[in-house]
Amino acid sequence: IERFNEYGQRLTYGAIWPSSAHANSQHFVPLDNGSWVSCSSSAGVRVFPDSVTTFTATSTIATAPTGTTGSYGCAVTASGSIVVSWFGASTDYLSIYSSTLTNQTHLINNNQGILADPRGVGVMRNGDIVVADHTKDYLLRVNGSGSVVKII
């Protein structure tokens, strides 16, 4: 993981930055409190504080659901919930967590018919969630309850 300032200059801080604290990170999302979320294709999802002197994840880490290997996408809703797409060979989920990565709810619970290879995730202004499906080559739009709104 690399760190850059607002001018695009690479920052280093002793043994802290750059860091390999979260292997195979695929996506980073900033949080309003200054922390950030890292989604990994092999090491779950973690929230990290924005610090230049320490580099430790919060004590809560979302691990991949059974049958999945990791996450390729995450996003944050207006209320601060964290949305995560989980990928597996034949098991995939779209899940939502509280801002501390607790209270997991599966919005799409391993339904290969509509979500076979989830990747990037986004949250629309109205709160709907969009997830890219790499295999089906489309965007799946669901509401906050996981009901399909449409396929794009």
Side-chain angles (χ1 to χ4, degrees):
I1 299 171
E2 297 279 350
R3 187 178 180 105
F4 297 88
N5 66 16
E6 64 271 19
Y7 305 108
Q9 297 167 319
R10 182 175 182 250
L11 302 177
T12 59
Y13 295 94
I16 306 301
W17 294 100
S19 175
S20 59
H22 200 205
N24 300 312
S25 291
Q26 301 294 319
H27 193 166
F28 298 102
V29 180
L31 300 176
D32 287 341
N33 66 3
S35 296
W36 44 279
V37 178
S38 173
C39 294
S40 166
S41 61
S42 65
V45 177
R46 296 181 178 192
V47 175
F48 289 92
D50 186 22
S51 172
V52 295
T53 57
T54 61
F55 194 80
T56 55
T58 60
S59 59
T60 306
I61 299 168
T63 56
T66 301
T68 65
T69 55
S71 174
Y72 284 92
C74 50
V76 178
T77 67
S79 65
S81 295
I82 299 170
V83 181
V84 179
S85 67
W86 295 104
F87 168 77
S90 61
T91 306
D92 303 294
Y93 294 91
L94 181 64
S95 304
I96 191 163
Y97 299 82
S98 68
S99 61
T100 58
L101 294 177
T102 56
N103 304 319
Q104 176 188 45
T105 301
H106 295 306
L107 298 176
I108 298 177
N109 191 356
N110 193 28
N111 184 340
Q112 295 288 306
I114 60 172
L115 189 64
D117 193 357
R119 299 294 187 196
V121 178
V123 179
M124 301 181 74
R125 256 186 250 143
N126 69 351
D128 285 355
I129 298 161
V130 178
V131 58
D133 190 300
H134 178 70
T135 298
K136 294 185 177 292
D137 199 24
Y138 64 48
L139 298 176
L140 176 66
R141 181 175 168 183
V142 299
N143 64 21
S145 301
S147 297
V148 175
V149 174
K150 67 178 167 178
I151 294 172
I152 304 168

